[in-house]
Amino acid sequence: MIVLGIESSCDETAAALVRDDGTILSDVVSSQVKLHAPYGGVVPEIASRAHMTNIAPVLGRALEAVDGGLEAVDAVAATNGPGLVGALLVGLQVAKAIAWVRSVPFVGVNHLVGHLLSIYLRREGDSTIDLPPTPFIALLVSGGHTALYEVRGPLEIEQLGQTRDDAAGEAFDKVAKLLGLGYPGGPLIDKLAARGDHRAIALPRPMALKDNLEFSFSGLKTAVARYIAKNGRPEDDRQLADFCASFQRVVVDVLVRKSLAACRQRRVEYLVLSGGVAANIALRDRMSDAASRAGVRLYKPPLSTCTDNAAMIAYAGAERLKRGLVDNWSLGVFSRSPILGACPGSAVLKRYKSSRLPR
Ligand code: KG4
Ligand code: ZN
């Protein structure tokens, strides 16, 4: 089965073709970063309009990968939340239209589930890929979410804890803005921090000592704002690198500590990273070291599948379709996750609403 995936939840317009075993046939992502950069963050209305302009060419390029283009598509999956409502609507409506015209099944996919299952994606001909056994603990760290899950199967995901306020990626982006670095801040801080001394500036370690699995980053952001208000922005490259390294160290420390606490508490020895912040080099390195010391096997997706893409949506959709689950044309979008976000601690994700495709 070849699934067409469409992703438009935030500032990436993406389309991909993926086989139901996770093999990526095409993976096209059009980033709107340049459009939003002058504002220091994503502007929802600009995002929706850019999705409208970009979706057709992005789809066209994704479909070039297979003979017959649209005719080769067996099912369509699209992100229906969480995300920006106007942005989500563009991808979802296009997905429904294609499924309707082609008379193939259509499924809505939770963006977070897409990230959590992205570790199963592989490039064609890549037979050496090492897949995590279930159950595994997953750390999802992105611009909108920071949470830990126990993944027992593609449709059985339990949230163990999440951030009480800002997401880790949001903290990277806001601190970069305070430092006058530009948007998105994560990759910029990552690069600068590599040259800095993480002991240079003492910043608070949010909830680091508690053994609970929740996060909080807004206090850290405030501490950075206060530091800059008092001392001014770092003046030269050396100071800037030291500042970035000190901030990044605190975030990475907390993420590493809580991920391994989750493995310990759940007695699970497999750990998976996902989401845009999982592209962070220091996080990948420090998590690898800490996991191997704890006897935990770490699985890191390639950098291209950490950030938003449609291949993960196609694959998460395929997992639902394989179990006979489809959605009908009335499926709507949602901005916050009713399944994974609203019930910290105990929500077991089975399957959200499902129904038969009308013929
Ligand atoms: O998963 P993603 O592409 O979109 C969301 O679903 O939010 O994540 C985007 C976030 C942004 O906050 C960005 O600054 C952060 O991921 N990010 C990074 C890195 N690359 C992207 N954060 C730290 N280090 C990186 N290398
Ligand atoms: Zn995402």
Side-chain angles (χ1 to χ4, degrees):
M1 176 169 63
I2 294 178
V3 181
L4 167 65
I6 298 179
E7 154 66 35
S8 66
S9 65
C10 191
D11 61 344
E12 260 98 26
T13 317
L17 292 176
V18 173
R19 282 212 196 92
D20 59 7
D21 65 354
T23 308
I24 299 173
L25 303 176
S26 65
D27 180 16
V28 181
V29 179
S30 165
S31 170
Q32 305 173 6
V33 156
K34 285 201 182 116
L35 288 178
H36 301 286
Y39 306 94
V42 178
V43 182
E45 182 59 24
I46 293 178
S48 313
R49 285 167 191 265
H51 285 308
M52 301 264 281
T53 316
N54 297 341
I55 190 79
V58 164
L59 262 171
R61 276 170 55 209
L63 291 168
E64 278 168 13
V66 287
D67 290 340
L70 258 191
E71 294 301 310
V73 169
D74 298 306
V76 186
T79 309
N80 73 315
L84 303 169
V85 166
L88 285 162
L89 275 171
V90 178
L92 188 72
Q93 290 306 105
V94 168
K96 283 180 186 173
I98 293 174
W100 188 76
V101 168
R102 285 274 295 106
S103 293
V104 295
F106 153 75
V107 272
V109 170
N110 184 306
H111 181 83
L112 307 183
V113 176
H115 274 302
L116 292 172
L117 302 185
S118 62
I119 195 71
Y120 292 117
L121 291 170
R122 77 200 68 186
R123 300 278 154 188
E124 195 139 37
D126 190 358
S127 55
T128 56
I129 189 161
D130 189 15
L131 300 176
T134 48
F136 60 78
I137 298 296
L139 172 69
L140 170 51
V141 260
S142 71
H145 305 274
T146 296
L148 280 160
Y149 301 93
E150 182 176 324
V151 179
R152 293 193 278 274
L155 302 190
E156 203 187 328
I157 300 170
E158 181 180 356
Q159 185 176 284
L160 307 176
Q162 65 172 344
T163 181
R164 290 186 177 175
D165 39 60
D166 292 353
E170 207 176 341
F172 270 98
D173 294 339
K174 285 179 177 167
V175 166
K177 198 171 174 182
L178 288 168
L179 292 170
L181 292 179
Y183 173 85
L188 299 167
I189 290 183
D190 192 1
K191 220 166 150 191
L192 283 162
R195 293 187 266 120
D197 176 4
H198 65 81
R199 290 158 303 191
I201 293 147
L203 291 165
R205 276 160 203 263
M207 304 180 79
L209 297 175
K210 297 185 190 151
D211 215 21
N212 73 33
L213 302 177
E214 294 191 329
F215 302 90
S216 167
F217 294 104
S218 75
L220 175 61
K221 179 191 66 193
T222 309
V224 169
R226 283 218 190 99
Y227 182 93
I228 292 174
K230 191 167 160 215
N231 305 290
R233 280 183 186 165
E235 275 168 12
D236 55 29
D237 285 357
R238 172 88 262 148
Q239 283 182 14
L240 188 59
D242 285 350
F243 197 97
C244 290
S246 304
F247 161 76
Q248 181 174 275
R249 179 73 173 200
V250 172
V251 176
V252 168
D253 261 3
V254 176
L255 296 174
V256 168
R257 198 183 287 240
K258 303 247 167 178
S259 302
L260 291 167
C263 292
R264 226 174 21 248
Q265 286 174 26
R266 290 289 165 142
R267 294 195 173 83
V268 171
E269 56 204 27
Y270 306 106
L271 175 61
V272 170
L273 296 184
S274 61
V277 183
N280 185 273
I281 303 299
L283 175 63
R284 295 168 81 90
D285 290 351
R286 301 240 355 268
M287 195 73 91
S288 291
D289 291 348
S292 68
R293 276 198 306 275
V296 166
R297 182 105 187 258
L298 179 67
Y299 295 82
K300 297 177 281 192
L303 300 190
S304 59
T305 40
C306 289
T307 43
D308 285 352
N309 63 85
M312 67 183 193
I313 302 304
Y315 180 71
E319 286 293 348
R320 290 192 46 210
L321 291 158
K322 282 191 255 177
R323 289 161 179 80
L325 298 168
V326 293
D327 286 302
N328 65 29
W329 307 129
S330 65
L331 184 81
V333 299
F334 60 92
S335 56
R336 287 179 63 89
S337 179
I339 305 117
L340 295 163
C343 327
S346 62
V348 175
L349 173 70
K350 289 275 196 234
R351 180 27 228 155
Y352 20 132
K353 237 174 38 200
S354 76
S355 51
R356 290 276 131 209
L357 185 76
R359 289 276 163 196

